[in-house]
Amino acid sequence: MTNQNNSARNLAVDILEKIDEGSFSNIQLNQDIKSSSLIDIDKNLLTEIVYGVLQHRLTLDFYLADYIRKPEMTPRWVINLLRTAVFQMEFLDRVPDFAIFNESIEIAKLRGNDGIRKMVTGVLRSYQRNGKPSFDSIKNPVERLSTQYSVAPWIVDQMLYELGEEKCISILKSINQPSHLAVRINRWNKTHADIIKDLEYEYTVTTSAIAKDGLRLSRGASISDTRSYIDGDLTVQDESAMLVAETMHLEKGQKVLDACAAPGGKTTQIAAMIGETGEVTGWDIYQKRVQLIQNNAQRMHLDNVKTEVQDAIASREDLDESFDRILVDAPCSGIGLMRRKPEIRYLKSKKDSSDLHQLQLKILDNIAKMLKVGGVLTYSTCTILRKENQETIEKFLAIHPEFEQLKVETAKKIKQNRDELSLNIYPDDFESDGFFIANLKKVK
């Protein structure tokens, strides 16, 4: 009999409980995997269950609704246990029902009492016998899409309004697919070819279709344990995020500000592009996060990175017209990250998006004066909502006539034939994160 305390399924319930209490899925999962004694196949199962339950939570709750009499009176861990069981039954074809049932019931015995064991047994047997309900029973189209794809109704409603039904559904389908492991090579250290050669001993390596220095790796050993990562030859970064620095018109020797920089992925990319004669300053409001920027720069052997604890909305008159380029990778709702951080779809509200829009404008208004005439300010977010993207840019331009918007161009000419000056990357476009990039030139 499996030791349930250390089983992948029991650990999944633990992690889901911690996420319900506010932990971030990726951080919590990595921490618990490192402290566990699981073999690789069970680590993969644990990861599949945790992310799968988060991605399909509203769907799973809909499936279970007729089988749990008083969900509000049921302990949260029991709800999460049932979610893990139904997720495996519906989405993991290779796992037989008897294995799911046996281990789920053993976990119920371990964590609860005989009454909970009987309740879990009864729910799973009834579900197996009667099956899942049809989404056709939900008449409201927004509620139906929300339940079917497990995304908060307000996000579905907003995407339908902004993008139309076809694009909305395409995005909803894509975000419930597994995310890719993407890394960006560090040309400061080695050539592109040498880094790929090193990685091919442990991974199947595919060159990114959209990012100049991006690679996709088949999932294997933890990337942070590889010699390539430890030596600073690469860093983990989504392909969409890699596009931001590519668009900034960076040149050797420039002085650059990354105003919202932690954990430093874009800071280090900028540093490598501007060379030893350039300097990039990375800001964050917390010392702990500033330390992350420093750690990443040191690991990647980049000695042209300067860091400061600094709020991007705080005045710095000493820095007026100091920088050739400025990046504002602004605080945002993160709706473009729903594939990699699925809990975002349940935690954010429409008011959050509106409040962030105001904060973004304050940051841009404060930072604008620090850019030299002729310099470029790049604004980016990892959301796909117009309020935090193009509406923020339009409002900024309305009160800052000294700026004009440029067309965003990437190294591989992504979406080059579009009419818009800004660049929107949606999660279904390239199976990467949703991102928005706009370039603003200070012309006077």
Side-chain angles (χ1 to χ4, degrees), residues 32 59 88 124 223-224 256 286 336 348 350 385 425:
D32 283 31
T59 306
Q88 292 171 82
L124 295 182
I223 188 68
S224 61
V256 183
Y286 299 111
K348 300 297 181 179
K350 193 168 185 177
L385 302 180
I425 301 291

Side-chain angles (χ1 to χ4, degrees), residues 43 72 123 161 186 201 329:
K43 289 178 183 177
E72 71 282 356
V123 168
Y161 174 73
N186 179 18
Y201 287 106
D329 188 41

Side-chain angles (χ1 to χ4, degrees), residues 5-115:
N5 282 306
N6 298 312
S7 74
R9 293 178 175 91
N10 193 37
L11 285 174
V13 175
D14 280 338
I15 293 169
L16 290 166
E17 288 295 284
K18 293 170 185 175
I19 294 169
D20 283 348
E21 294 167 1
S23 295
F24 293 109
S25 58
N26 57 333
I27 295 173
Q28 192 63 58
L29 184 62
N30 288 338
Q31 287 177 350
D32 283 31
I33 284 177
K34 284 184 177 180
S35 62
S36 76
S37 57
L38 296 177
I39 61 175
D40 285 346
I41 191 170
D42 287 335
K43 289 178 183 177
N44 292 336
L45 177 62
L46 171 62
T47 301
E48 257 188 315
I49 292 174
V50 170
Y51 279 120
V53 169
L54 289 173
Q55 286 177 330
H56 299 282
R57 195 170 81 185
L58 298 183
T59 306
L60 297 170
D61 288 350
F62 173 69
Y63 289 166
L64 283 163
D66 290 339
Y67 301 101
I68 303 176
R69 293 180 182 176
K70 295 182 179 180
E72 71 282 356
M73 302 290 290
T74 305
R76 294 304 302 170
W77 72 263
V78 177
I79 298 292
N80 278 321
L81 175 60
L82 291 168
R83 286 169 174 164
T84 65
V86 173
F87 166 73
Q88 292 171 82
M89 293 169 70
E90 295 296 342
F91 296 98
L92 298 184
D93 293 338
R94 70 182 185 279
V95 183
D97 283 0
F98 75 83
I100 299 167
F101 281 32
N102 288 347
E103 196 156 348
S104 298
I105 292 166
E106 288 298 317
I107 293 169
K109 286 168 61 178
L110 174 71
R111 302 177 70 116
N113 53 40
D114 196 53

Side-chain angles (χ1 to χ4, degrees), residues 82-321:
L82 291 168
R83 286 169 174 164
T84 65
V86 173
F87 166 73
Q88 292 171 82
M89 293 169 70
E90 295 296 342
F91 296 98
L92 298 184
D93 293 338
R94 70 182 185 279
V95 183
D97 283 0
F98 75 83
I100 299 167
F101 281 32
N102 288 347
E103 196 156 348
S104 298
I105 292 166
E106 288 298 317
I107 293 169
K109 286 168 61 178
L110 174 71
R111 302 177 70 116
N113 53 40
D114 196 53
I116 287 177
R117 178 191 64 79
K118 290 179 180 177
M119 179 256 194
V120 169
T121 303
V123 168
L124 295 182
R125 293 298 180 197
S126 295
Y127 186 86
Q128 184 185 48
R129 184 169 56 251
N130 298 319
K132 61 188 178 185
S134 170
F135 296 119
D136 293 339
S137 64
I138 306 173
K139 301 307 178 186
N140 182 288
V142 171
E143 184 183 349
R144 184 168 59 252
L145 289 173
S146 168
T147 303
Q148 183 174 355
Y149 296 104
S150 202
V151 173
W154 78 269
I155 299 175
V156 174
D157 191 45
Q158 197 66 31
M159 288 200 300
L160 285 169
Y161 174 73
E162 294 183 10
L163 303 172
E165 184 177 15
E166 183 178 355
K167 185 65 173 177
C168 173
I169 292 175
S170 179
I171 292 171
L172 292 173
K173 288 179 178 179
S174 76
I175 60 172
N176 287 334
Q177 300 302 312
S179 60
H180 297 282
L181 174 57
V183 298
R184 175 176 54 79
I185 66 167
N186 179 18
R187 291 179 184 269
W188 190 280
N189 276 3
K190 291 182 180 179
T191 66
H192 197 145
D194 285 342
I195 294 172
I196 290 177
K197 185 177 179 181
D198 290 342
L199 287 169
E200 285 178 335
Y201 287 106
E202 299 184 71
Y203 299 92
T204 300
V205 182
T206 306
T207 300
S208 171
I210 63 172
K212 178 183 177 183
D213 289 332
L215 303 172
R216 284 186 181 181
L217 309 181
S218 61
R219 294 194 181 275
S222 172
I223 188 68
S224 61
D225 294 332
T226 64
R227 176 53 56 190
S228 295
Y229 183 88
I230 294 168
D231 287 349
D233 294 338
L234 54 82
T235 192
V236 177
Q237 189 175 24
D238 186 79
E239 293 163 273
S240 294
M242 298 178 204
L243 299 177
V244 177
E246 287 185 15
T247 74
M248 290 178 63
H249 303 271
L250 295 168
E251 298 174 7
K252 301 293 184 183
Q254 287 179 328
K255 188 175 181 181
V256 183
L257 172 64
D258 188 352
C260 308
K266 299 177 188 68
T267 313
T268 55
Q269 187 175 7
I270 292 167
M273 293 175 72
I274 59 177
E276 294 180 354
T277 58
E279 181 184 75
V280 55
T281 300
W283 285 355
D284 196 86
I285 59 176
Y286 299 111
Q287 177 59 50
K288 188 174 182 180
R289 289 174 61 79
V290 167
Q291 188 63 51
L292 290 176
I293 306 170
Q294 294 171 344
N295 292 346
N296 271 322
Q298 289 168 6
R299 179 179 61 80
M300 300 179 77
H301 311 286
L302 297 162
D303 53 14
N304 59 346
V305 176
K306 174 183 173 183
T307 58
E308 296 179 1
V309 178
Q310 176 69 42
D311 191 337
I313 63 172
S315 177
R316 286 290 302 271
E317 293 180 3
D318 59 309
L319 294 178
D320 285 359
E321 298 192 2

Side-chain angles (χ1 to χ4, degrees), residues 361 365 393-403:
L361 286 170
D365 186 60
I393 294 301
E394 289 170 359
K395 288 200 173 183
F396 172 79
L397 290 172
I399 57 177
H400 285 276
E402 72 274 23
F403 282 85

Side-chain angles (χ1 to χ4, degrees), residues 385-397:
L385 302 180
R386 182 176 172 82
K387 184 76 172 180
E388 301 171 60
N389 292 341
Q390 192 58 36
E391 282 190 28
T392 296
I393 294 301
E394 289 170 359
K395 288 200 173 183
F396 172 79
L397 290 172

